[in-house]
Amino acid sequence: MRILGIDPGVAIVGFGVIDVDRGQQRMVQYGAINTEAGLPLATRLLQIGRDLEQLIELFRPDEIAVEELFFSKNITTGIAVAHGRGVILYTAEKMEVPIFEYTPMQVKQAVVGYGLAEKSQIMDMVRRLLKLKTVPRPDDAADALAIAICHARSATSLLRRHDPNVKETI
């Protein structure tokens, strides 16, 4: 199975593509969609949608995993990220790729084994699990790979094997 993990944003949208076979995960590609500061929000959203379509066409993922939003301090930034996330969900649906969503705590639990893990712990586990020499950069791409790993671990559960329509939570 090929999974495209997405870390939503507007300035930077992280992406990570992994292949999963019999519980083994292999990194295929990672990177980021970057939009230029100062451009109108609508222009940036259009670019995110177009670039994501190209990624889907290039890598042909079987499923897409997206992080759910978590508002902490800056609600204005959170609203902009929500716009970007909406474009991501729309594009995945338009291109008929199944979408799965995970909270930050679910991702941390799946990757590190602890739902309150620190960012550095997540980054190091992504590097270890995918057998990489260094932590992927930018951080958004490493986050996207973590989201893909989270989905890989969820997607192989016995529950989903029996009923593919069941969305498991960790």
Side-chain angles (χ1 to χ4, degrees):
M1 174 189 331
R2 179 161 283 182
I3 301 168
L4 171 58
I6 302 284
D7 182 34
V10 172
I12 302 172
V13 176
F15 72 87
V17 182
I18 64 171
D19 284 339
V20 182
D21 184 32
R22 294 180 214 150
Q24 297 297 310
Q25 299 132 19
R26 182 181 65 81
M27 193 276 300
V28 175
Q29 185 64 269
Y30 64 85
I33 297 170
N34 296 290
T35 65
E36 189 178 326
L39 289 177
L41 178 61
T43 303
R44 296 173 93 176
L45 296 175
L46 180 63
Q47 179 188 339
I48 291 167
R50 286 180 177 163
D51 288 357
L52 184 56
E53 283 183 20
Q54 289 178 350
L55 286 173
I56 291 170
E57 289 171 358
L58 179 63
F59 293 108
R60 299 278 182 214
D62 298 299
E63 297 177 343
I64 294 177
V66 180
E67 188 172 60
E68 290 185 359
L69 288 184
F70 174 75
F71 289 95
S72 56
K73 297 174 187 157
N74 190 338
I75 192 105
T76 305
T77 301
I79 291 171
V81 172
H83 288 306
R85 190 171 179 282
V87 168
I88 291 162
L89 296 175
Y90 168 82
T91 303
E93 187 69 22
K94 175 183 161 189
M95 301 207 53
E96 300 178 342
V97 182
I99 307 159
F100 296 84
E101 301 172 57
Y102 298 93
T103 66
M105 189 173 278
Q106 287 173 311
V107 174
K108 292 174 183 181
Q109 180 69 38
V111 174
V112 179
Y114 176 57
L116 299 175
E118 298 293 325
K119 186 139 182 117
S120 61
Q121 293 173 298
I122 299 161
M123 300 297 155
D124 188 53
M125 283 304 293
V126 166
R127 180 189 62 77
R128 290 174 184 217
L129 291 169
L130 296 175
K131 298 174 178 69
L132 304 174
K133 291 181 181 178
T134 60
V135 171
R137 296 285 179 219
D139 287 355
D140 308 84
D143 289 343
L145 287 168
I147 295 160
I149 291 168
C150 172
H151 181 62
R153 292 179 165 199
S154 173
T156 58
S157 76
L158 292 175
L159 182 61
R160 273 209 58 222
R161 284 188 203 153
H162 296 312
D163 184 355
N165 296 317
V166 172
K167 181 179 174 186
E168 179 186 338
T169 56
I170 297 173

